[in-house]
Amino acid sequence: MPPLGRPVYLDGSSAEPLLPEARDAWLAGQQAGWGDPLRLHRPGRLAAQALDRAREVVAAAVGARPDEVVFTGSGVQSSYAAVAGLARGRRRVGTRIVTSAIEHSSVLAAAGGHGRPVSVPVDGQGHLDLDRWRAALAEGEVAAAALQVANHEVGTVQPYPAAAQLCRAADVPLLLDATSALGRLDLTSPEAGWSVLTGAAAAFGGPASVGILVIRRGVRWRAPYPVDDYQNGRWPGAPDVPAIVAAAVALETWLADRARLAAHQHALVGRLRHGIGERVPDVDVVGDPDARVPHLLTCSVLYVDGETLTLELDRAGFAVASGSACSASSETPSHVLAAMGALTHGNIRIGLTRTTTAADVDALLDALPPIVSRIRADLGAP
């Protein structure tokens, strides 16, 4: 039996559990928003109105226009389409695609599949090297650049306004991956300077079947797939309107409570950082301790296998992640930690959810030291 008498879900880096408000909106949408939004009959008009409202919610959250918002089937699809579309739209300019070394695997895969990827290093806390970023942009023939607002594993917030300014000076469109930050940080500043922005509804308690792709007007982006009449030819097929409505409600719910929740989660992660470092010997808590999204924490434990540690914590009632955030159950070391020069094995990633409590955090801090000691003893480690 878990110490609190219930399982404790701490994998909010992968997905926030579906918010009750989003579930209610989804069910309601099945009654009134199921029609084809391109049709003129009443069910079609209701669906079109619901889509328009959802676009307004997303646009307001990121400082865009509603007609720039596109809904896809997932956050990964959005990221891949963003990179591929920019590469197609600017193929006459060049084929080089500049990214940080710690971007999500979908961005790195798209960069390698649709251009010549140029990887810019980060420091030990995960911050982009702006001098190397500037140099990469200055080499010319750059189709696009891609950068996260905040890293999906260690939570470090990137200097994306400065990176965007360098992109503008080089006349290079910037893809901003806001998956870990949408709903948690203010993304409405014009200094963000992005051309395309992506996100995933699952990250803020919406359905996993909804991705967000925002394309500024005038950006040279061409759909890298066959399109039709839906969403102005930017994403094919009839949209899942009830799921999109649920995603918009989840985002509204999160934004309405953002300040309180951010302070709460910042305090809990700070408690974890201090407690793990104090109670578990030979551990490296990675990422920027201050300039970070409020809910993420990754630590690497020496002399311990990450998968074993994850399974033992699961048996104790705690659901955490290990390895790369985009390769669950894979033994491939995290490319993020490797790029930061951190220990790539023996790591666990904790993602607080909207409902995580101080009792949950304290229970994990009590459970972790003896589990680590037992695993080390079994392996004959010091």
Side-chain angles (χ1 to χ4, degrees):
M1 176 68 69
L4 297 178
R6 56 174 173 78
V8 178
Y9 181 78
L10 294 171
D11 191 15
S13 59
S14 298
E16 177 81 18
L18 188 68
L19 298 186
E21 296 87 346
R23 184 180 298 109
D24 292 344
W26 200 344
L27 294 174
Q30 298 290 348
Q31 299 296 320
W34 51 267
D36 187 331
L38 294 184
R39 300 295 179 254
L40 297 179
H41 48 58
R42 178 173 173 77
R45 295 197 306 273
L46 289 174
Q49 291 169 5
L51 273 178
D52 287 343
R53 171 59 183 151
R55 290 191 183 100
E56 290 172 357
V57 171
V58 173
V62 301
R65 296 167 47 109
D67 62 357
E68 296 171 334
V69 177
V70 182
F71 294 106
T72 73
S74 70
V76 167
Q77 290 180 357
S78 295
S79 294
Y80 196 91
V83 174
L86 287 170
R88 288 197 69 196
R90 286 174 50 86
R91 62 176 54 176
R92 292 185 179 179
V93 177
T95 59
R96 297 173 68 248
I97 299 175
V98 177
T99 75
S100 84
I102 60 174
E103 295 303 301
H104 191 272
S105 61
S106 60
V107 170
L108 299 179
H114 295 272
R116 292 181 294 147
V118 178
S119 179
V120 177
V122 298
D123 66 17
Q125 291 188 333
H127 302 113
L128 179 71
D129 185 327
L130 285 171
D131 290 334
R132 298 283 290 275
W133 181 265
R134 179 189 292 106
L137 295 173
E139 290 181 11
E141 298 185 351
V142 180
L147 183 66
Q148 297 168 324
V149 174
N151 183 257
H152 54 294
E153 291 188 38
V154 302
T156 298
V157 174
Q158 295 289 6
Y160 63 93
Q165 185 177 1
L166 293 173
C167 284
R168 286 195 298 271
D171 195 25
V172 172
L174 173 65
L175 159 63
L176 200 60
D177 180 354
T179 301
S180 297
L182 185 55
R184 303 177 191 274
L185 303 179
D186 183 5
L187 300 175
T188 60
S189 171
E191 294 182 358
W194 50 269
S195 299
V196 180
L197 179 143
T198 59
F204 49 78
S209 59
V210 178
I212 293 167
L213 174 64
V214 189
I215 307 167
R216 295 282 196 196
R217 293 185 67 184
V219 172
R220 293 166 64 181
W221 180 92
R222 290 183 58 194
Y225 35 72
V227 294
D228 48 31
D229 293 336
Y230 291 99
Q231 301 200 70
N232 295 322
R234 294 173 297 182
W235 190 259
D240 184 350
V241 178
I244 291 169
V245 168
V249 168
L251 182 55
E252 284 186 308
T253 302
W254 204 281
L255 290 170
D257 197 30
R258 181 175 63 191
R260 182 202 66 80
L261 189 59
H264 174 67
Q265 292 185 330
H266 261 294
L268 291 183
V269 167
R271 193 168 182 163
L272 279 169
R273 291 184 70 93
H274 176 75
I276 292 174
E278 187 176 65
R279 302 189 194 190
V280 181
D282 298 316
V283 64
D284 180 23
V285 183
V286 299
D288 193 308
D290 301 310
R292 56 178 171 83
V293 284
H295 65 302
L296 298 182
L297 175 70
T298 289
C299 61
S300 297
V301 185
L302 199 61
Y303 314 122
V304 166
D305 175 74
E307 286 72 22
T308 301
L309 181 54
T310 301
L311 290 172
E312 288 301 316
L313 284 170
D314 185 56
R315 291 190 182 97
F318 301 93
V320 301
S322 180
S324 173
C326 45
S327 58
S329 73
S330 169
E331 295 183 359
T332 302
S334 163
H335 70 279
V336 171
L337 298 182
M340 294 169 57
L343 185 68
T344 58
H345 293 282
N347 66 82
I348 58 171
R349 189 177 63 258
I350 300 167
L352 306 188
T353 73
R354 187 180 180 85
T355 58
T356 301
T357 66
D360 295 333
V361 167
D362 289 341
L364 177 63
L365 288 173
D366 289 338
L368 186 60
I371 289 176
V372 171
S373 295
R374 186 167 64 250
I375 295 172
R376 285 173 171 168
D378 290 344
L379 293 174

